[in-house]
């Protein structure tokens, strides 16, 4: 099947103006004005007039097996479904374990990732867990990265948090070093995804790695950096002085932020205004983790589930509310995570890249159509491809 998207304004993520895009099988074949429609080749045509065309979004932190469980067994959130991902324009996810590395395990994480891939999107995983020593499939972190195709890094490892295993900075550095080595030997990113708590040590362990070892900051991605203004400011300094990367979490209730929490879109604006290089900033959703739900008067009424769809919500809010440039906002979920995670065929609209594409209405910036590896997943705001058990 060939698909021709006509007359869309392309952000690749840089603006390329109004052009056509031709995809063949799972790849982008050609970009240009007035690409001819050859009827003999059974071309499917999509009218992109009045639309913006973006690369498919990359979500680098999703609890695809479910998360939660911190309020006992009944608070464990369910596994994610395909349309929970695709309706938010996300075409690539990286799955991870959370606090619970016992009832959620690496074998199940890998199986879930493979299942989602069979349903149409691109998936990867982090080997490891909150706790150190990390949970692995082979019994060795480096071996996991070399031998398991989908394992591209380690995480999420918790630090500066009461739920962490309270590792020493040397133990933490060893994990980062082993992850880097496994990445080098397998041609992968070798990135450690780091859960940042609100403890007083903040980014001290990451500073230690950069300042006292030979490991570059590109092998570490601290997430939840916007959980407090104090941590965000610490992140600003870490990024500017040591070249560190920062990940802002989008799954929160924007109407009832926790005390001192910073909305991801506003945090992006602050980081850019303070001079943090744009390529060092990413968004991730923390999707399928548990989040508190509050009533109209701010009272706690129960637990909800973090949404992958929040990823684009914060990109959109960054543009429409916080006045961040569209290209800058898009980079946090496209080219920036693609470069950091070494996903060479992702994150950009260019010939030879994967045909992961998102059409949004230019006037409202609402998602209209989503393609993953050349296949329509969402069309005219309706999920047209669903997961195996979503049609029951």
């Amino acid at each position: 099947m060939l698909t021709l998207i006509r007359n869309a304004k392309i952000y690749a993520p840089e603006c390329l103006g109004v052009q056509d895009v031709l995809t063949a099988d799972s790849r982008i074949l050609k970009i240009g004005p007035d690409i001819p429609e050859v009827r003999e080749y059974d071309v499917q045509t999509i009218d992109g007039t009045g639309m913006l065309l973006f690369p498919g979004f990359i979500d680098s932190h999703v609890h695809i097996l479910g998360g939660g469980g911190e309020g006992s067994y009944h608070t464990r959130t369910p596994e994610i479904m395909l349309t929970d991902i695709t309706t938010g324009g996300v075409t690539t996810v990286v799955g991870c374990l959370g606090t619970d590395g016992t009832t959620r395990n690496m074998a199940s994480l890998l199986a879930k990732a493979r299942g989602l891939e069979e349903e149409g999107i691109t998936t990867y995983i982090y080997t490891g867990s909150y706790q150190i020593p990390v949970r692995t499939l082979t019994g060795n972190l480096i071996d996991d990265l070399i031998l398991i195709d989908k394992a591209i890094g380690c995480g999420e490892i918790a630090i500066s948090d009461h739920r962490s295993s309270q590792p020493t900075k040397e133990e933490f550095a060893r994990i980062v070093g082993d992850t880097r080595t496994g990445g080098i030997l397998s041609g992968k990113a070798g990135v450690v995804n780091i859960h940042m708590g609100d403890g007083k040590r903040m980014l001290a362990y990451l500073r230690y790695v950069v300042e006292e070892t030979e490991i570059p900051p590109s092998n570490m991605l601290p997430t939840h950096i916007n959980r407090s203004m104090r941590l965000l400011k610490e992140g600003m300094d870490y990024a500017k002085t040591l070249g560190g990367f920062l990940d802002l979490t989008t799954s929160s209730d924007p109407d009832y932020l926790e005390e001192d929490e910073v909305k991801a879109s506003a945090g992006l604006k602050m980081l850019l205004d303070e001079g943090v290089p744009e390529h060092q900033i990413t968004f991730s959703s923390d999707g399928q983790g548990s989040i508190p739900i509050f009533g109209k008067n701010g009272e706690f009424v129960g637990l909800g589930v973090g949404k992958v769809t929040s990823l684009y919500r914060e990109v959109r809010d960054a543009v429409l509310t916080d006045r961040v440039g569209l290209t800058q906002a898009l980079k946090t979920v496209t080219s920036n995570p693609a470069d950091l995670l070494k996903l060479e065929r992702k994150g950009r609209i260019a010939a030879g890249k994967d045909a992961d594409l998102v059409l949004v209405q230019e006037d409202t910036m609402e998602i209209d159509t989503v393609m993953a590896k050349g296949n329509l997943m969402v069309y005219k705001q309706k999920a047209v491809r669903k997961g195996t058990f979503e049609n029951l």
Side-chain angles (χ1 to χ4, degrees):
M1 173 67 72
L2 280 77
T3 300
L4 179 61
I5 301 175
R6 284 201 176 281
N7 301 318
K9 188 173 184 180
I10 300 173
Y11 282 82
E14 298 80 11
C15 184
L16 303 182
V18 175
Q19 299 197 60
D20 299 345
V21 175
L22 178 66
T23 73
D25 194 12
S26 64
R27 301 287 189 96
I28 297 171
L29 185 63
K30 185 177 182 179
I31 302 171
D34 302 318
I35 296 176
E37 181 179 338
V38 182
R39 297 188 183 278
E40 290 82 356
Y41 290 102
D42 188 26
V43 178
Q44 171 184 247
T45 301
I46 297 174
D47 184 8
T49 304
M51 303 266 195
L52 307 177
L53 184 65
F54 303 151
F57 308 144
I58 301 166
D59 195 338
S60 64
H61 186 115
V62 182
H63 298 281
I64 57 176
L65 281 178
E70 295 175 10
S72 193
Y73 305 107
H74 70 285
T75 64
R76 297 167 77 253
T77 64
E79 291 188 10
I80 202 164
M81 293 286 192
L82 179 68
T83 59
D84 296 331
I85 298 169
T86 56
T87 53
V90 173
T91 54
T92 301
V93 297
V94 185
C96 61
L97 299 177
T99 314
D100 182 3
T102 301
T103 67
R104 323 268 193 183
N105 58 61
M106 289 303 305
S108 294
L109 183 67
L110 180 59
K112 178 65 176 181
R114 293 201 189 285
L116 288 169
E117 183 104 21
E118 289 176 353
E119 290 177 338
I121 64 171
T122 301
T123 60
Y124 300 95
I125 64 169
Y126 297 117
T127 187
S129 53
Y130 249 45
Q131 295 79 26
I132 296 176
V134 294
R135 310 295 179 93
T136 63
L137 271 164
T138 65
N140 182 279
L141 174 55
I142 295 176
D143 290 355
D144 271 18
L145 291 169
I146 294 173
L147 299 175
I148 300 168
D149 56 344
K150 287 196 172 297
I152 61 171
C154 178
E156 64 177 306
I157 290 177
I159 62 172
S160 298
D161 194 291
H162 65 96
R163 295 163 293 181
S164 78
S165 53
Q166 307 303 320
T168 66
K169 59 187 178 184
E170 291 82 9
E171 289 174 322
F172 175 75
R174 181 179 295 276
I175 292 294
V176 182
D178 284 350
T179 304
R180 175 174 171 80
T181 299
I184 290 171
L185 293 174
S186 60
K188 299 173 183 175
V191 169
V192 180
N193 186 272
I194 303 160
H195 166 102
M196 293 304 308
D198 55 5
K200 62 183 179 181
R201 287 171 291 184
M202 293 195 288
L203 295 165
Y205 281 23
L206 284 78
R207 290 181 180 275
Y208 170 79
V209 170
V210 176
E211 294 174 336
E212 302 297 331
T213 79
E214 299 74 33
I215 301 168
S218 57
N219 286 107
M220 298 180 289
L221 183 61
T223 191
H224 315 322
I225 203 74
N226 54 318
R227 71 161 61 249
S228 71
M229 181 61 73
R230 183 173 67 104
L231 184 58
L232 186 66
K233 289 181 177 179
E234 170 80 358
M236 291 176 188
D237 183 73
Y238 168 71
K240 290 194 295 182
T241 60
L242 296 180
F245 289 74
L246 305 173
D247 185 66
L248 290 83
T249 299
T250 61
S251 269
S252 59
D253 187 337
D255 296 321
Y256 296 103
L257 296 174
E258 294 184 16
E259 185 178 358
D260 206 30
E261 183 182 2
V262 182
K263 192 174 183 292
S265 64
L268 173 61
K269 174 66 171 175
M270 293 176 194
L271 292 174
L272 293 172
D273 286 349
E274 288 296 322
V276 174
E278 62 183 32
H279 76 276
Q280 293 171 218
I281 309 169
T282 63
F283 279 3
S284 67
S285 71
D286 199 17
Q288 220 60 18
S290 62
I291 58 172
I293 299 175
F294 299 96
K296 293 182 179 180
N297 299 317
E299 72 279 12
F300 175 78
V301 296
L303 287 173
V305 179
K307 301 295 185 183
V308 170
T309 53
S310 68
L311 195 74
Y312 179 64
R313 179 197 71 200
E314 292 302 305
V315 170
R316 182 174 178 269
D317 285 356
V319 175
L320 298 181
T321 302
D322 299 287
R323 303 304 175 188
V324 174
L326 179 53
T327 292
Q328 287 181 307
L330 278 176
K331 284 183 176 182
T332 64
V333 297
T334 57
S335 58
N336 289 357
D339 290 346
L340 183 64
L341 299 176
K342 292 189 177 180
L343 308 180
E344 295 181 357
R345 284 160 42 185
K346 304 295 184 181
R348 290 179 173 84
I349 299 177
K353 302 291 186 182
D354 283 349
D356 295 342
L357 300 167
V358 179
L359 273 170
V360 307
Q361 298 167 356
E362 185 169 13
D363 55 349
T364 63
M365 287 190 68
E366 295 289 342
I367 292 174
D368 181 271
T369 299
V370 179
M371 291 179 64
K373 293 186 286 189
N375 295 308
L376 276 177
M377 311 300 283
V378 177
Y379 185 64
K380 300 298 181 184
Q381 299 184 327
K382 181 180 180 181
V384 294
R385 185 165 181 171
K386 296 182 179 182
T388 305
F389 296 104
E390 293 189 84
N391 291 312
L392 298 180

